[in-house]
Amino acid sequence: MTAQKLQAVRGMNDVLPQDSGAWQRVETALREVARAYGYREIRTPLVERAELFTQSIGGATDIVEKEMYVFGAADERLALRPEATASTVRACNQHGLLHNRQQRLWYLGAMFRRERPQKGRYRQFHQFGVEAFGWPGPDIDAEVIRLGARVWERLQIGGLRLQLNTLGSPQTRRAYREALREYFSGQRAHLDADSVRRLESNPLRILDSKVDATVEIAAGAPDITGFLDADARAHFDGLCDSLRRFGLKFEINPRLVRGLDYYTGAVFEWLADDGLGAQNAVCAGGRYDQLVEQRGGRPTPAVGFAMGVERLVELAERAAPETPAPTDIYVLSADDDGGEAADISESLRRAGFAVTTHCGGGQLKRQMKRADQSGARLAVIAGLEGAGTARIKPLRSGGEQVRLGVDALVDWCRDHISA
Ligand code: ATP
Ligand code: MG
């Protein structure tokens, strides 16, 4: 009887060796851009108390209503994190990171949401995010958006559209919520079930619906512009001015509300026009000036975004495909125990080369075939001439074999590989 092959859980993906190079390139770009803007990394656990998310993200949201993986005993419900802003705020409060100081932070890691898996939408996915705590003005919002734009530049991704809106003050949101409730109540019969429920709990969320019929109705809803107070307008105008100064194009979308409850003030989203299908949002964020205090910290203004790394890798690959970096040198072993090959390989690695050592012995001719297949630029044959000497053969330029001692070998490789 053959053993049954188990499959990965639906919506949770392997990143295979042929794809991990593309991931690493994107991750490196993200780390470097974050560093270039003075942001420091924070790593929080994959598991938190479920209430952290239900209280931060809000009850009437897709995430909390149906997407969280919750488990554990009734008196301590735990959740796989569906996002990392709530965790970051929790960590800042717990460790006093915001006491009399500002923080620029970033994170990169796996998030979990029980959604319907489809291209660009998974149950385990990855987000890169930044969070800036302690600045009330629009300059930091502009910085955070600029940082995102820098990521697109670094990865040569073009054609993303930046949409902005502001949700104003809590009073604004309250008044706007009432106006939406009134509008959508009139259309009740045509709304999807989730939206009908949200009429009461939080009608703003209806604007975020992905159900076609509801999207159509939402297009006619009043927009928030008329409800904004002077402060919110000034902040938003300041942000728009900064972005213009950066030369960043944007569109104001007065119906952009974002799916989470903790947002206040400016919100934004970067959208890809094509290729990602309906899953076209690559990065989303905004201000959440009340969350730190709501979670038990001191009042601290805050702004941040989260970027979907799967969608980012896809866009980066399309813009400029990653060419896999093969090993530099393949070391063959002419002696039986492979000891000489292992020694020479170590010398080459110490000199900074990526080296694959042939293991398992066998005829030199077969080993050379492996060396060719490996994509390495040079083959080194150890153990043929006695200790400390090897032969070297360029694999891709068709040059002659050379015989060299170990020190000379390192220099020779340097000359031929950097060339
Ligand atoms: P959407 O409207 O696509 O459901 P969202 O509003 O739920 O997005 P956020 O919580 O703001 O998304 O997450 C920020 C980014 O993370 C998204 O713009 C997207 O790129 C990515 N993202 C969110 N959910 C998923 C998922 N299930 N699979 C892959 N990427 C995701
Ligand atoms: Mg979602």
Side-chain angles (χ1 to χ4, degrees):
M1 197 179 97
T2 47
Q4 197 192 347
K5 250 189 249 164
L6 283 180
Q7 306 283 311
V9 174
R10 208 160 92 86
M12 306 208 177
N13 300 318
D14 301 305
V15 176
L16 299 176
Q18 61 265 31
D19 300 320
S20 56
W23 275 76
Q24 288 173 7
R25 179 169 65 118
V26 165
E27 288 161 0
T28 300
L30 293 169
R31 291 196 174 92
E32 288 178 3
V33 169
R35 203 182 98 74
Y37 283 77
Y39 287 64
R40 296 185 305 157
E41 185 182 13
I42 185 163
R43 300 188 188 195
T44 63
L46 297 185
V47 173
E48 298 270 359
R49 283 176 212 286
E51 67 195 74
L52 173 67
F53 302 113
T54 47
Q55 289 170 6
S56 305
I57 296 169
T61 59
D62 282 346
I63 294 181
V64 169
E65 279 181 342
K66 48 190 182 199
E67 294 175 0
M68 273 215 293
Y69 288 94
V70 179
F71 56 95
D75 59 345
E76 194 189 44
R77 303 295 281 162
L78 303 176
L80 293 180
R81 65 179 186 192
E83 58 108 56
T85 298
S87 311
T88 303
V89 167
R90 196 257 320 128
C92 283
N93 285 343
Q94 181 176 338
H95 303 288
L97 298 190
L98 306 178
H99 285 178
N100 303 316
R101 59 166 311 176
Q102 299 160 317
Q103 291 282 355
R104 288 179 165 96
L105 304 174
W106 66 270
Y107 60 80
L108 173 60
M111 309 295 159
F112 303 84
R113 297 183 193 177
R114 191 187 276 111
E115 307 200 54
R116 193 167 68 76
Q118 52 199 294
K119 188 173 157 49
R121 188 175 292 285
Y122 309 104
R123 292 181 162 183
Q124 174 179 324
F125 63 101
H126 296 76
Q127 284 184 336
F128 165 77
V130 306
E131 314 287 0
F133 296 99
W135 293 270
D139 50 353
I140 192 77
D141 302 18
E143 174 181 290
V144 157
I145 292 174
R146 187 72 195 81
L147 190 162
R150 182 78 198 104
V151 171
W152 321 139
E153 284 166 24
R154 260 291 305 255
L155 296 169
Q156 300 172 49
I157 296 171
L160 295 188
R161 287 183 298 135
L162 172 61
Q163 295 201 336
L164 298 183
N165 191 23
T166 175
L167 301 179
S169 65
Q171 297 88 292
T172 296
R173 282 181 63 161
R174 224 170 293 135
Y176 185 45
R177 205 174 295 154
E178 280 320 307
L180 287 179
R181 191 170 283 143
E182 204 178 304
Y183 171 78
F184 284 120
S185 296
Q187 307 280 337
R188 195 185 183 102
H190 310 290
L191 294 175
D192 63 284
D194 276 341
S195 297
V196 168
R197 218 156 11 87
R198 287 171 188 174
L199 265 178
E200 285 318 310
S201 52
N202 194 350
L204 245 76
R205 293 286 80 82
I206 303 176
L207 295 179
D208 222 20
S209 169
K210 304 244 177 339
V211 179
D212 287 342
T214 304
V215 171
E216 236 167 76
I217 296 169
D223 73 47
I224 200 167
T225 325
F227 298 84
L228 294 174
D229 54 70
D231 279 355
R233 275 177 199 277
H235 186 110
F236 193 62
D237 290 345
L239 172 58
C240 294
D241 286 346
S242 297
L243 295 178
R244 282 190 203 100
R245 199 162 49 244
F246 286 146
L248 283 180
K249 288 207 185 72
F250 58 87
E251 305 154 17
I252 296 174
N253 173 359
R255 289 192 186 77
L256 176 69
V257 292
R258 308 287 309 112
L260 316 169
D261 262 5
Y262 52 63
Y263 286 109
T264 52
V267 291
F268 58 90
E269 236 173 55
W270 291 90
L271 304 170
D273 270 334
D274 59 295
L276 300 180
Q279 278 40 263
N280 66 345
V282 189
C283 174
R287 279 220 155 247
Y288 51 98
D289 287 342
Q290 268 126 34
L291 187 62
V292 175
E293 190 182 7
Q294 278 167 9
R295 297 278 69 77
R298 300 182 188 175
T300 308
V303 59
F305 68 62
M307 221 177 245
V309 181
E310 279 75 5
R311 297 178 196 180
L312 185 61
V313 169
E314 162 102 23
L315 290 172
E317 277 298 280
R318 252 193 282 144
E322 166 76 5
T323 38
T327 195
D328 297 326
I329 302 169
Y330 192 98
V331 178
L332 291 67
S333 179
D335 60 9
D336 283 341
D337 68 357
E340 185 67 12
D343 288 347
I344 286 183
S345 297
E346 283 309 307
S347 305
L348 290 166
R349 290 184 187 118
R350 270 195 294 275
F353 297 109
V355 180
T356 303
T357 309
H358 184 87
C359 285
Q363 292 173 348
L364 275 185
K365 212 174 141 192
R366 303 255 300 273
Q367 293 189 32
M368 194 54 89
K369 214 166 154 189
R370 286 283 162 79
D372 268 328
Q373 289 165 348
S374 76
R377 301 179 62 172
L378 301 173
V380 167
I381 308 166
L384 206 58
E385 322 275 346
T389 312
R391 285 197 204 172
I392 183 160
K393 183 178 181 333
L395 288 172
R396 293 198 245 159
S397 49
E400 284 301 296
Q401 282 194 23
V402 199
R403 199 182 132 195
L404 292 167
V406 173
D407 291 340
L409 179 72
V410 168
D411 289 339
W412 199 95
C413 289
R414 226 176 245 135
D415 288 347
H416 283 76
I417 285 186
S418 52

